[in-house]
Amino acid sequence: MSRFASAGEALAAVRTDATWSVPTLDTARLLSKWTPTRMYEFSERNTPWFKGFPAPSFDPRAQHMAELPYLFDLALFENIKDEQMGFRDRMLHTWVGFAASGRTSRPAFLGERGYVQTLSSEAWRRADFTADHDHAFWKSLQ
């Protein structure tokens, strides 16, 4: 059984992994050799869609820019649902605290399997980013 509910969802995962996830992981690995590096993956599943545009035929989940309505008041997106306001507040507190102090409770990204933090309305935890995005497969094609 496929881990995807539709062909559109599978295509979105392929495009995300090949175009965004693999280069992001490679960049974090390179940067972490010279400077303290932190990496997160926004993984909220029920995100606001773009105002005035029809939603896709599949659940868009945490698409590119999906974290922005949780951090900024932007007319570009639909409103955040009331049940997500606690998550929004936590994200804002985390971002503002980091901007003010330069400190974070998140471990640094170090080595080949560096720490990647998931951010969602569920528990924040370590992501298995390399496996979740099939990094080895995509690198084997290069």
Side-chain angles (χ1 to χ4, degrees):
M1 183 168 165
S2 172
R3 66 180 179 156
F4 303 108
S6 69
E9 189 177 319
L11 178 61
V14 165
R15 297 291 301 161
T16 296
D17 292 349
T19 307
W20 292 97
S21 301
V22 169
T24 299
L25 183 63
D26 290 345
T27 301
R29 285 177 173 166
L30 184 63
L31 286 173
S32 70
K33 291 178 181 180
W34 291 283
T35 188
T37 303
R38 303 293 190 277
M39 188 172 163
Y40 74 88
E41 178 177 37
F42 183 78
S43 55
E44 181 63 17
R45 295 179 69 86
N46 191 15
T47 59
W49 188 245
F50 298 93
K51 241 184 222 175
F53 290 90
S57 62
F58 57 91
D59 181 10
R61 299 186 185 170
Q63 75 283 350
H64 181 59
M65 296 176 33
E67 75 276 16
L68 296 182
Y70 296 88
L71 300 169
F72 307 102
D73 291 325
L74 299 171
L76 178 64
F77 297 97
E78 296 170 347
N79 293 330
I80 294 172
K81 294 177 176 58
D82 289 341
E83 62 268 14
Q84 291 182 313
M85 293 309 284
F87 171 51
R88 180 185 188 200
D89 292 345
R90 183 176 182 193
M91 282 193 61
L92 285 170
H93 178 78
T94 301
W95 255 249
V96 170
F98 178 70
S101 70
R103 291 188 303 270
T104 179
S105 61
R106 206 171 33 197
F109 184 98
L110 299 168
E112 285 298 303
R113 296 188 55 81
Y115 188 89
V116 179
Q117 176 81 54
T118 64
L119 304 179
S120 74
S121 55
E122 297 174 3
W124 291 11
R125 59 178 175 73
R126 182 180 187 157
D128 189 355
F129 197 83
T130 56
D132 292 346
H133 296 285
D134 298 315
H135 187 265
F137 167 75
W138 293 108
K139 293 302 283 185
S140 75
L141 299 179
Q142 293 181 346

